[in-house]
Amino acid sequence: MFSMKMLPIRTIPCGPAGQCATFIRSLTLGAVRASKKAEQLESEEPAAEDVPVTFVDDDAESMEEREARIATLRNKSRLLPQHRNMLNDTLPYAQSQSWIHETVKYKRMMLGRYGIDGARVDPRICFPTKKEAYEKAEYDRVAFPFSLKQMMEANETARKEKKAAVEAREVEIARKLEKLDQWTSDLNARMEKKEAEARAAKERKDRLVEEVRRHFGFKVDPRDERFQEMLAQKEREDRKKVKEAKRKEKEEKMMEKLQKKTAELEADIDVTNEQRK
């Protein structure tokens, strides 16, 4: 089947007779080995997978083997079989390859993804067992102890309470806004009063300092001890005057109240006497 081309033997001049005999012997052994190799290659038949498609005997190959071989040659994606199955929307593994493939969760997932025929799983596995149903009911009883009606009623009550709190807050804010003007005027009055008191205190201080200076008849350092003593004395006298003025003002107010009260009592007595007559 394979032809071997023999190269022409070149005549090599040799020297001594021993060297020529050795050279001829090596050529003879090489030719014998080459002929044996050619006979061995002719006697061996190449395997079907090693021979190109054009050299495969179609008669000696079944249709299934031919289709499988063509599909193998057609697959140029180099994807793994399971990945190619997933790409073709078929079950990745025909047989379980891991303990995960035997779990209920995995089988349910395969059934939901590939259907009853594609997943090769009993559809009854999707329904819970008695143990699972009991555990689910127990979990629902502990996690959700109230019925739907009770939860709706509680939600409605909470909504009404929240609405009532918002309305009460709005009423309180409106009531306070009505008093905002009064509060603002009161605040301004207090601020003006404090400012007036501060100005009066400053003016009184300046007046006392000026009186002390006039007492000495010459300019004195305010840090001088004599100045400080005289200033303290003037402040005491001024406080006495202020206190006395407040006392007199208080007495005058009390007298006015007493006079008013006395006038009211006299008027009541006169009315009573007239009624008796």
Side-chain angles (χ1 to χ4, degrees):
M1 187 173 181
F2 298 97
S3 59
M4 184 177 65
K5 185 182 293 184
M6 301 296 294
L7 297 175
I9 300 175
R10 296 176 60 187
T11 304
I12 300 174
C14 56
Q19 294 180 357
C20 291
T22 303
F23 181 72
I24 292 171
R25 191 181 301 112
S26 62
L27 290 177
T28 305
L29 291 174
V32 171
R33 291 174 181 172
S35 61
K36 288 182 177 181
K37 186 67 175 177
E39 291 175 359
Q40 184 178 1
L41 292 174
E42 290 178 359
S43 62
E44 292 179 355
E45 294 182 359
E49 58 272 10
D50 297 336
V51 181
V53 180
T54 53
F55 293 100
V56 176
D57 189 2
D58 294 338
D59 297 335
E61 187 179 23
S62 64
M63 184 61 66
E64 295 180 358
E65 294 177 351
R66 182 171 180 275
E67 292 296 333
R69 179 172 54 79
I70 292 174
T72 304
L73 294 174
R74 190 183 296 134
N75 183 14
K76 302 298 183 181
S77 64
R78 297 184 182 181
L79 293 174
L80 295 176
Q82 60 269 27
H83 296 161
R84 186 172 177 81
N85 291 340
M86 292 175 65
L87 182 64
N88 295 328
D89 199 17
T90 56
L91 194 66
Y93 301 98
Q95 301 294 333
S96 298
Q97 303 295 325
S98 173
W99 64 270
I100 299 177
H101 300 162
E102 297 296 331
T103 58
V104 176
K105 183 178 179 181
Y106 180 82
K107 290 182 179 180
R108 287 176 178 175
M109 183 176 65
M110 293 297 103
L111 181 62
R113 182 173 297 176
Y114 301 109
I116 297 176
D117 298 333
R120 305 172 190 173
V121 177
D122 188 358
R124 291 178 295 179
I125 198 172
C126 295
F127 295 92
T129 61
K130 291 184 178 180
K131 182 179 180 182
E132 292 176 347
Y134 172 77
E135 291 178 352
K136 182 65 169 59
E138 187 68 15
Y139 173 80
D140 291 340
R141 185 182 67 81
V142 176
F144 308 103
F146 303 104
S147 63
L148 180 60
K149 184 178 180 180
Q150 292 174 340
M151 289 190 291
M152 291 176 65
E153 291 176 353
N155 187 21
E156 183 68 17
T157 303
R159 188 182 65 80
K160 289 181 179 179
E161 292 177 355
K162 185 177 180 180
K163 183 178 179 181
V166 171
E167 291 177 353
R169 178 64 175 167
E170 290 177 352
V171 171
E172 182 69 15
I173 292 173
R175 184 179 63 81
K176 291 182 178 180
L177 284 175
E178 292 177 356
K179 297 181 179 180
L180 181 61
D181 296 336
Q182 182 64 30
W183 291 344
T184 304
S185 60
D186 293 343
L187 178 61
N188 293 332
R190 287 196 298 269
M191 293 176 63
E192 291 177 358
K193 183 179 179 181
K194 288 184 179 179
E195 291 177 356
E197 290 177 354
R199 286 195 299 270
K202 185 176 183 303
E203 291 174 358
R204 186 170 59 254
K205 184 77 172 179
D206 295 340
R207 179 173 55 79
L208 293 175
V209 170
E210 187 63 26
E211 289 180 359
V212 171
R213 287 177 178 172
R214 284 201 304 268
H215 174 76
F216 286 104
F218 55 89
K219 189 173 182 181
V220 184
D221 188 359
R223 291 172 295 181
D224 190 86
E225 293 181 0
R226 294 176 299 171
F227 186 89
Q228 294 293 333
E229 292 176 358
M230 183 59 64
L231 181 62
Q233 181 180 354
K234 290 290 185 182
E235 288 178 351
R236 286 193 297 270
E237 293 176 357
D238 187 70
R239 281 196 298 268
K240 287 181 181 180
K241 291 179 181 180
V242 172
K243 187 175 181 181
E244 186 67 22
K246 288 183 178 179
R247 186 179 63 79
K248 288 182 179 181
E249 184 179 358
K250 187 175 181 181
E251 289 178 354
E252 290 176 359
K253 288 182 179 179
M254 289 179 67
M255 289 298 294
E256 289 178 359
K257 288 182 179 180
L258 288 173
Q259 289 175 1
K260 186 176 180 181
K261 191 70 174 176
T262 303
E264 291 177 356
L265 289 173
E266 290 177 354
D268 293 338
I269 291 171
D270 293 339
V271 171
T272 304
N273 293 331
E274 291 178 357
Q275 289 178 355
R276 287 178 180 179
K277 290 179 180 180

